[in-house]
């Protein structure tokens, strides 16, 4: 047991890609992070800012070219423990279709634990539990490719859950979904977090970030803001300078403030807007 009680630690993490043409891209630079167990972290940043590269370090799909990453106290450079890292921190990707590996939902969810060498009886109960957990139990015998995008992502999440992870990393899992699919996935992830799983959720939907414990903003391979949604979204100008929006309500509050309306500078929700504009209501 490690003395390090954080779920994830990145110390001076850097990543340089070498391209086929022989040039180098510094995708991450001196990233320092500590994510305590149970936290719900959202990572935002424009295209190419290094979010996916960071995510891949958190389950040892990439190795640091500088610094180091610990997952539940395990150094991701420890080759002998790579599978332990991947089981601890499972990853869900953007395109649900690329994550389907079997012809029925239950076989798909069983794939991960089968690869871990779990006994069959145990696998059946894990598959059942995981599908219940994401609200997809009644689809166990269905063909995954016929499901909606939101359902496919929930099956992908169940496949990770069946490996009993402590942490789930989601790299823009809602980017290809319609609003109702997005909502399904977001509610599922929030529920798992309430049940104790650490969540790292990469998204370009600012409204999803409002619901996190913590928002990390990346630009050009670096962490440029890191705090609660309220702290981070107060930096409207800085966010805009790196090509990001703020939640719609925050934007509206800023415009009202610029127009001379007396309103708090850290509005994140409609309720807060109403309370700030009509203190007596
Ligand atoms: P994001 O997920 O925020 O869009 P990425 O982590 O995918 O950002 O990319 C960060 C930077 O690294 C970008 O400049 C991107 O072009 C570059 N990059 C990503 N993957 C590779 C790769 N396999 N080879 C070379 N460069 C890469
Ligand atoms: Mg990406």
């Amino acid at each position: 047991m490690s003395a390090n009680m954080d779920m994830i630690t990145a110390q001076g993490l850097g990543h340089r890609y070498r391209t086929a043409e022989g040039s180098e891209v510094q995708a991450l630079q001196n990233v320092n992070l500590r994510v305590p167990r149970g936290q719900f972290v959202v990572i935002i940043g424009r295209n190419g800012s290094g979010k996916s590269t960071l995510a891949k370090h958190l389950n040892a799909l990439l190795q640091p070219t500088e610094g180091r990453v610990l997952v539940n106290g395990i150094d991701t450079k420890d080759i002998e423990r790579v599978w332990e890292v991947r089981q601890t921190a499972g990853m869900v990707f953007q395109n649900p279709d690329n994550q389907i590996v079997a012809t029925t939902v239950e076989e798909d969810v069983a794939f991960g634990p089968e690869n871990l060498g779990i006994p069959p009886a145990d696998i059946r109960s894990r598959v059942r539990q995981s599908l219940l957990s994401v609200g997809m139990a009644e689809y166990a015998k269905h063909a995954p490719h016929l499901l909606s995008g939101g359902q496919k992502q929930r099956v992908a999440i169940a496949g990770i859950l069946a490996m009993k992870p402590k942490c789930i990393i989601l790299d823009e899992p809602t980017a290809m979904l319609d609003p109702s699919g997005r909502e399904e996935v977001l509610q599922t992830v929030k529920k798992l977090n309430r049940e104790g799983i650490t969540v790292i959720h990469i998204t370009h939907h600012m409204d999803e970030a409002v619901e996190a414990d913590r928002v990390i903003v990346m630009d050009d391979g670096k962490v440029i803001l890191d705090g609660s949604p309220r702290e981070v979204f107060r930096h409207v100008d800085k966010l805009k300078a790196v090509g990001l929006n703020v939640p719609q309500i925050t934007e509206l509050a800023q415009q009202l403030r610029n127009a001379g309306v007396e309103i708090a500078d850290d509005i994140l929700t409609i309720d807060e807007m109403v309370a700030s504009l009509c203190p007596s209501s």
Side-chain angles (χ1 to χ4, degrees), residues 17-19 25 27 45-54 171-172:
Y17 287 107
R18 214 177 292 276
T19 65
V25 178
R46 67 174 139 200
N47 273 344
S49 58
K51 304 179 300 296
S52 294
T53 302
L54 177 59
D171 190 356
E172 304 206 33

Side-chain angles (χ1 to χ4, degrees), residues 11 61 87 123 138 149-151 191 226 228-229 255 263 270:
Q11 293 170 336
L61 285 175
Q87 186 188 342
I123 292 179
E138 71 220 72
Q151 289 173 327
K191 169 178 173 276
D226 181 354
S228 68
Q255 286 176 13
I263 185 167
I270 292 175

